[in-house]
Amino acid sequence: MLANAGSRLLINVHFITVITIMMIVSGCNQAEVMKTSDNIQPLVQETLIDGVLSNDASMAITLGRSRTLSIWDVATSQLLHQWSDDDFDETNYLLALSGNKQFLATAGKQKISVFNLETGKLDIRWPAQGFNPDASISSLFLSQTGSTILVGMNDGSITVIQRSSMTMSFI
């Protein structure tokens, strides 16, 4: 009986030893690859108010403290389009990019501007309104194709704008 207990203990010790060796060996085979960039350069030198990165990370939109709005090709750090604060009716605070990267929406406290990024031209400018006449824009979203704009207001209302029909509805 004592011999059986001793042999079971020996088998358990061997089993634990084998498991431990397997864990060590498998851990050594999975070396963690960490890659660092050789050349990290910021796209802008100023503090950002807002920024948006496209879903595929190929395009970045920055809104700097000087209120300069810039569109960048991330891979090349090339500036694609740029607008200054003077190009807008009011100061911008928020940005939204359509999923297909064709439209950019900007928002101040009361107005929305939508740009066609293929042409770099202003597509529409729209005054936002909520249930409360003093409400201001607090969030902004563009659909995949840019055809629908959702605007959240600080009074809790949500405005839905359809670009094709130029209609607006409240939620």
mmCIF file of all heavy atoms in Angstrom, residues 41 43 52-54 56-61 71-80:
data_model
loop_
_atom_site.group_PDB
_atom_site.id
_atom_site.type_symbol
_atom_site.label_atom_id
_atom_site.label_comp_id
_atom_site.label_asym_id
_atom_site.label_seq_id
_atom_site.Cartn_x
_atom_site.Cartn_y
_atom_site.Cartn_z
ATOM 1 N N GLN A 41 6.976 61.541 -36.266
ATOM 2 C CA GLN A 41 6.801 62.962 -36.508
ATOM 3 C C GLN A 41 5.328 63.313 -36.341
ATOM 4 O O GLN A 41 4.478 62.689 -36.971
ATOM 5 C CB GLN A 41 7.237 63.327 -37.933
ATOM 6 C CG GLN A 41 8.700 63.118 -38.219
ATOM 7 C CD GLN A 41 9.573 64.081 -37.432
ATOM 8 O OE1 GLN A 41 9.207 65.215 -37.191
ATOM 9 N NE2 GLN A 41 10.722 63.597 -36.999
ATOM 10 N N LEU A 43 1.860 65.215 -36.992
ATOM 11 C CA LEU A 43 1.304 65.879 -38.184
ATOM 12 C C LEU A 43 1.202 67.378 -37.972
ATOM 13 O O LEU A 43 1.399 68.153 -38.901
ATOM 14 C CB LEU A 43 -0.071 65.295 -38.518
ATOM 15 C CG LEU A 43 -0.091 63.829 -38.956
ATOM 16 C CD1 LEU A 43 -1.515 63.330 -39.117
ATOM 17 C CD2 LEU A 43 0.686 63.649 -40.241
ATOM 18 N N VAL A 52 -9.795 63.167 -35.895
ATOM 19 C CA VAL A 52 -10.495 61.973 -36.337
ATOM 20 C C VAL A 52 -9.538 61.160 -37.194
ATOM 21 O O VAL A 52 -8.809 61.713 -38.023
ATOM 22 C CB VAL A 52 -11.752 62.334 -37.166
ATOM 23 C CG1 VAL A 52 -12.436 61.085 -37.679
ATOM 24 C CG2 VAL A 52 -12.715 63.174 -36.361
ATOM 25 N N LEU A 53 -9.574 59.846 -36.993
ATOM 26 C CA LEU A 53 -8.791 58.922 -37.787
ATOM 27 C C LEU A 53 -9.756 58.038 -38.558
ATOM 28 O O LEU A 53 -10.735 57.551 -37.989
ATOM 29 C CB LEU A 53 -7.913 58.069 -36.863
ATOM 30 C CG LEU A 53 -6.859 57.187 -37.475
ATOM 31 C CD1 LEU A 53 -5.830 58.018 -38.236
ATOM 32 C CD2 LEU A 53 -6.165 56.367 -36.396
ATOM 33 N N SER A 54 -9.525 57.853 -39.849
ATOM 34 C CA SER A 54 -10.406 57.007 -40.649
ATOM 35 C C SER A 54 -10.361 55.574 -40.144
ATOM 36 O O SER A 54 -9.409 55.171 -39.465
ATOM 37 C CB SER A 54 -10.017 57.061 -42.134
ATOM 38 O OG SER A 54 -8.729 56.520 -42.328
ATOM 39 N N ASP A 56 -9.663 52.841 -41.573
ATOM 40 C CA ASP A 56 -8.485 52.097 -42.010
ATOM 41 C C ASP A 56 -7.172 52.797 -41.640
ATOM 42 O O ASP A 56 -6.098 52.354 -42.028
ATOM 43 C CB ASP A 56 -8.541 51.823 -43.510
ATOM 44 C CG ASP A 56 -8.503 53.098 -44.344
ATOM 45 O OD1 ASP A 56 -8.449 54.214 -43.774
ATOM 46 O OD2 ASP A 56 -8.539 52.984 -45.583
ATOM 47 N N ALA A 57 -7.268 53.880 -40.892
ATOM 48 C CA ALA A 57 -6.120 54.652 -40.404
ATOM 49 C C ALA A 57 -5.267 55.241 -41.523
ATOM 50 O O ALA A 57 -4.105 55.565 -41.316
ATOM 51 C CB ALA A 57 -5.264 53.813 -39.461
ATOM 52 N N SER A 58 -5.842 55.417 -42.700
ATOM 53 C CA SER A 58 -5.082 56.002 -43.801
ATOM 54 C C SER A 58 -5.222 57.524 -43.855
ATOM 55 O O SER A 58 -4.425 58.199 -44.497
ATOM 56 C CB SER A 58 -5.535 55.414 -45.135
ATOM 57 O OG SER A 58 -6.875 55.797 -45.409
ATOM 58 N N MET A 59 -6.215 58.055 -43.180
ATOM 59 C CA MET A 59 -6.479 59.489 -43.224
ATOM 60 C C MET A 59 -6.686 60.013 -41.802
ATOM 61 O O MET A 59 -7.338 59.362 -40.986
ATOM 62 C CB MET A 59 -7.741 59.750 -44.053
ATOM 63 C CG MET A 59 -8.114 61.203 -44.200
ATOM 64 S SD MET A 59 -9.691 61.409 -45.074
ATOM 65 C CE MET A 59 -9.228 60.914 -46.713
ATOM 66 N N ALA A 60 -6.116 61.180 -41.529
ATOM 67 C CA ALA A 60 -6.295 61.841 -40.244
ATOM 68 C C ALA A 60 -6.803 63.247 -40.483
ATOM 69 O O ALA A 60 -6.369 63.915 -41.424
ATOM 70 C CB ALA A 60 -4.989 61.873 -39.468
ATOM 71 N N ILE A 61 -7.729 63.676 -39.648
ATOM 72 C CA ILE A 61 -8.244 65.041 -39.699
ATOM 73 C C ILE A 61 -7.913 65.677 -38.365
ATOM 74 O O ILE A 61 -8.182 65.101 -37.302
ATOM 75 C CB ILE A 61 -9.772 65.082 -39.952
ATOM 76 C CG1 ILE A 61 -10.098 64.531 -41.349
ATOM 77 C CG2 ILE A 61 -10.276 66.510 -39.895
ATOM 78 C CD1 ILE A 61 -10.389 63.121 -41.391
ATOM 79 N N ILE A 71 -6.541 67.984 -43.379
ATOM 80 C CA ILE A 71 -6.760 66.601 -43.789
ATOM 81 C C ILE A 71 -5.395 66.052 -44.201
ATOM 82 O O ILE A 71 -4.718 66.641 -45.041
ATOM 83 C CB ILE A 71 -7.727 66.502 -44.990
ATOM 84 C CG1 ILE A 71 -8.970 67.367 -44.787
ATOM 85 C CG2 ILE A 71 -8.053 65.048 -45.289
ATOM 86 C CD1 ILE A 71 -9.873 66.948 -43.691
ATOM 87 N N TRP A 72 -5.021 64.886 -43.641
ATOM 88 C CA TRP A 72 -3.693 64.323 -43.853
ATOM 89 C C TRP A 72 -3.762 62.908 -44.403
ATOM 90 O O TRP A 72 -4.622 62.131 -44.011
ATOM 91 C CB TRP A 72 -2.934 64.256 -42.534
ATOM 92 C CG TRP A 72 -2.767 65.554 -41.842
ATOM 93 C CD1 TRP A 72 -3.619 66.113 -40.926
ATOM 94 C CD2 TRP A 72 -1.694 66.474 -41.991
ATOM 95 N NE1 TRP A 72 -3.135 67.320 -40.501
ATOM 96 C CE2 TRP A 72 -1.949 67.568 -41.138
ATOM 97 C CE3 TRP A 72 -0.532 66.472 -42.756
ATOM 98 C CZ2 TRP A 72 -1.082 68.649 -41.032
ATOM 99 C CZ3 TRP A 72 0.321 67.551 -42.654
ATOM 100 C CH2 TRP A 72 0.044 68.626 -41.810
ATOM 101 N N ASP A 73 -2.819 62.579 -45.271
ATOM 102 C CA ASP A 73 -2.565 61.193 -45.656
ATOM 103 C C ASP A 73 -1.571 60.677 -44.619
ATOM 104 O O ASP A 73 -0.448 61.173 -44.515
ATOM 105 C CB ASP A 73 -1.962 61.130 -47.063
ATOM 106 C CG ASP A 73 -1.658 59.711 -47.499
ATOM 107 O OD1 ASP A 73 -0.940 58.989 -46.759
ATOM 108 O OD2 ASP A 73 -2.121 59.314 -48.573
ATOM 109 N N VAL A 74 -1.979 59.702 -43.821
ATOM 110 C CA VAL A 74 -1.152 59.240 -42.702
ATOM 111 C C VAL A 74 0.137 58.574 -43.177
ATOM 112 O O VAL A 74 1.203 58.803 -42.602
ATOM 113 C CB VAL A 74 -1.964 58.279 -41.799
ATOM 114 C CG1 VAL A 74 -1.090 57.652 -40.735
ATOM 115 C CG2 VAL A 74 -3.136 59.016 -41.157
ATOM 116 N N ALA A 75 0.080 57.757 -44.218
ATOM 117 C CA ALA A 75 1.265 57.023 -44.675
ATOM 118 C C ALA A 75 2.385 57.954 -45.120
ATOM 119 O O ALA A 75 3.559 57.692 -44.863
ATOM 120 C CB ALA A 75 0.891 56.069 -45.811
ATOM 121 N N THR A 76 2.020 59.052 -45.776
ATOM 122 C CA THR A 76 3.033 59.964 -46.308
ATOM 123 C C THR A 76 3.173 61.260 -45.517
ATOM 124 O O THR A 76 4.043 62.068 -45.817
ATOM 125 C CB THR A 76 2.699 60.331 -47.768
ATOM 126 O OG1 THR A 76 1.462 61.054 -47.783
ATOM 127 C CG2 THR A 76 2.600 59.086 -48.642
ATOM 128 N N SER A 77 2.285 61.482 -44.547
ATOM 129 C CA SER A 77 2.216 62.739 -43.786
ATOM 130 C C SER A 77 1.967 63.929 -44.701
ATOM 131 O O SER A 77 2.326 65.054 -44.382
ATOM 132 C CB SER A 77 3.488 62.961 -42.955
ATOM 133 O OG SER A 77 3.637 61.943 -42.009
ATOM 134 N N GLN A 78 1.355 63.678 -45.843
ATOM 135 C CA GLN A 78 1.076 64.732 -46.814
ATOM 136 C C GLN A 78 -0.230 65.438 -46.465
ATOM 137 O O GLN A 78 -1.234 64.794 -46.172
ATOM 138 C CB GLN A 78 0.975 64.151 -48.218
ATOM 139 C CG GLN A 78 0.672 65.187 -49.279
ATOM 140 C CD GLN A 78 0.516 64.559 -50.663
ATOM 141 O OE1 GLN A 78 0.704 63.365 -50.846
ATOM 142 N NE2 GLN A 78 0.163 65.383 -51.621
ATOM 143 N N LEU A 79 -0.215 66.761 -46.514
ATOM 144 C CA LEU A 79 -1.405 67.571 -46.286
ATOM 145 C C LEU A 79 -2.262 67.528 -47.542
ATOM 146 O O LEU A 79 -1.806 67.881 -48.631
ATOM 147 C CB LEU A 79 -1.000 69.012 -45.967
ATOM 148 C CG LEU A 79 -2.127 69.988 -45.675
ATOM 149 C CD1 LEU A 79 -2.903 69.573 -44.433
ATOM 150 C CD2 LEU A 79 -1.545 71.391 -45.501
ATOM 151 N N LEU A 80 -3.509 67.072 -47.416
ATOM 152 C CA LEU A 80 -4.406 66.943 -48.564
ATOM 153 C C LEU A 80 -5.293 68.168 -48.753
ATOM 154 O O LEU A 80 -5.509 68.621 -49.868
ATOM 155 C CB LEU A 80 -5.275 65.683 -48.417
ATOM 156 C CG LEU A 80 -4.519 64.368 -48.259
ATOM 157 C CD1 LEU A 80 -5.482 63.222 -47.977
ATOM 158 C CD2 LEU A 80 -3.692 64.085 -49.501
#
